[in-house]
């Protein structure tokens, strides 16, 4: 795909210099600013203490955010290429160029509520993210006060709706919700696993070797998941399925998980959503 580049681990990453199926000038300026913002970057490190250090849960720090944002932007690009219409920015009278900004900002700061507590973190994220957005959005020449308020509202909606208890009302929010669940490879559980964690979230993450996003034949997006054993089904059938349900993207994304381990004891060979 022209809009992405492969990392050493095979993970697709957003390339600001590539061609995309959407206007990317605003997005690239926002990303450059966010990645150099010391307050935001400190949040991304600090938010990992409660879930990982104190609770032995999966990674929710800067690496998780990097992966979720890359996958959210890849999803967005594939959906735009496939002709899917986005309603979040449009309903607010904002520009098409603001759709990717909403997706990227929400993906970047959706988990900062973890600095307060792992439990109900999506709700704690809202006031913290609101303060950050009030500071950073006016720094961009393309947002006056009115547009900044509207972008802020859409970003906060997407942050809240990455939690499965809240249903996304916008396509942008649906993208962030699904992308959050697509960070499921074994590397995500490395720290708790090495510290002795053997809960289902940790063990099932260890069973996922790779997640690949690409254009689909019958739908805009095909997600292929390589599993090393049947434990990976928990990630696919419980976590990813729950995020895809009511995301608004159920008809636009096809998910196929395949057990790539070759032996005679395969309890599960293939799962398709």
């Amino acid at each position: 795909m022209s809009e992405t580049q492969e990392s050493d681990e095979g993970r697709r990453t957003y390339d600001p210099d590539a061609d995309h199926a959407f206007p990317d000038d605003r997005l690239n300026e926002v990303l450059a600013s966010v990645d150099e913002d010391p307050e935001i970057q400190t949040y991304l490190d600090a938010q990992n203490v409660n879930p990982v250090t104190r609770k032995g849960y999966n990674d929710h720090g800067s690496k998780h955010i990097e992966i979720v944002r890359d996958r959210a932007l890849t999803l967005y690009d594939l959906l735009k290429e496939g002709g899917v219409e986005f309603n979040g920015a449009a309903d607010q009278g904002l520009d098409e160029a603001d759709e990717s900004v909403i997706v990227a900002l929400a993906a970047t700061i959706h988990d900062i509520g973890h600095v307060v507590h792992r439990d109900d973190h999506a709700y704690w994220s809202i006031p913290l993210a609101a303060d950050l957005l009030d500071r950073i959005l006016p720094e961009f020449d393309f947002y006056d006060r009115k547009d900044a308020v509207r972008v802020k509202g859409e970003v906060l909606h997407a942050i809240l709706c990455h939690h499965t208890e809240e249903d996304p009302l916008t396509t942008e929010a649906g993208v962030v919700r699904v992308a959050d669940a697509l960070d499921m490879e074994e590397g995500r559980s490395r720290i708790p696993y090495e510290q002795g964690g053997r809960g289902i979230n940790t063990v099932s993450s260890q069973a996922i070797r790779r997640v690949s996003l690409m254009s689909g034949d019958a739908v805009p997006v095909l997600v292929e998941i390589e599993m090393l054993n049947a434990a990976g089904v928990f990630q696919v059938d419980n976590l990813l399925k729950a995020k895809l349900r009511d995301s608004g993207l159920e008809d636009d994304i096809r998910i196929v998980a395949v057990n790539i381990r070759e032996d005679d004891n395969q309890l599960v060979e293939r799962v398709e959503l």
Side-chain angles (χ1 to χ4, degrees), residues 26-34 101 105 133 135-144 148:
R26 290 185 183 181
L27 169 65
N28 292 336
E29 184 173 339
V30 169
L31 289 178
S33 177
V34 165
V101 172
L105 285 175
L133 294 168
R135 176 175 63 79
I136 67 173
L137 288 175
E139 296 175 357
F140 301 106
D141 294 337
F142 38 83
Y143 291 135
D144 59 20

Side-chain angles (χ1 to χ4, degrees), residues 175-192:
V175 165
V176 175
R177 178 189 178 104
V178 174
D180 185 41
L182 289 176
D183 179 16
M184 59 169 62
E185 287 110 331
E186 54 191 337
R188 188 174 185 196
S189 61
R190 177 182 57 80
I191 297 174

Side-chain angles (χ1 to χ4, degrees), residues 34-51 59-66 105 107-117 121 124-133 135-136:
V34 165
D35 289 343
E36 296 297 324
D37 189 291
E39 184 179 12
I40 293 176
Q41 296 307 309
T42 301
Y43 267 118
L44 302 190
D45 288 333
Q47 70 191 34
N48 222 16
V49 173
N50 277 329
D59 174 46
H60 284 77
S62 57
K63 177 54 68 174
H64 169 63
I65 296 304
E66 176 188 333
L105 285 175
T108 301
I109 57 178
H110 74 278
D111 268 345
I112 62 174
H114 276 101
V115 300
V116 180
H117 206 290
H121 68 275
W124 296 115
S125 291
I126 295 300
L128 298 176
D131 287 346
L132 287 176
L133 294 168
R135 176 175 63 79
I136 67 173

Side-chain angles (χ1 to χ4, degrees), residues 53-72:
T53 305
R54 294 171 179 164
K55 297 199 65 141
Y57 200 66
N58 286 351
D59 174 46
H60 284 77
S62 57
K63 177 54 68 174
H64 169 63
I65 296 304
E66 176 188 333
I67 293 171
V68 171
R69 191 172 75 186
D70 282 340
R71 291 194 172 150

Side-chain angles (χ1 to χ4, degrees), residues 158-229:
I159 289 173
L160 182 67
C161 293
H162 89 273
H163 184 34
T164 53
E165 295 299 317
E166 307 294 340
D167 293 338
L169 303 178
T170 69
T171 323
E172 289 92 330
V175 165
V176 175
R177 178 189 178 104
V178 174
D180 185 41
L182 289 176
D183 179 16
M184 59 169 62
E185 287 110 331
E186 54 191 337
R188 188 174 185 196
S189 61
R190 177 182 57 80
I191 297 174
Y193 190 84
E194 289 178 352
Q195 293 176 346
R198 294 297 184 271
I200 185 60
N201 286 286
T202 299
V203 173
S204 60
S205 288
Q206 288 286 311
I208 303 295
R209 181 177 182 272
R210 178 173 297 178
V211 177
S212 301
L213 280 68
M214 61 197 75
S215 296
D217 293 329
V219 295
V221 181
L222 171 63
V223 178
E224 288 190 351
I225 301 168
E226 296 178 3
M227 301 186 298
L228 297 172
N229 59 64

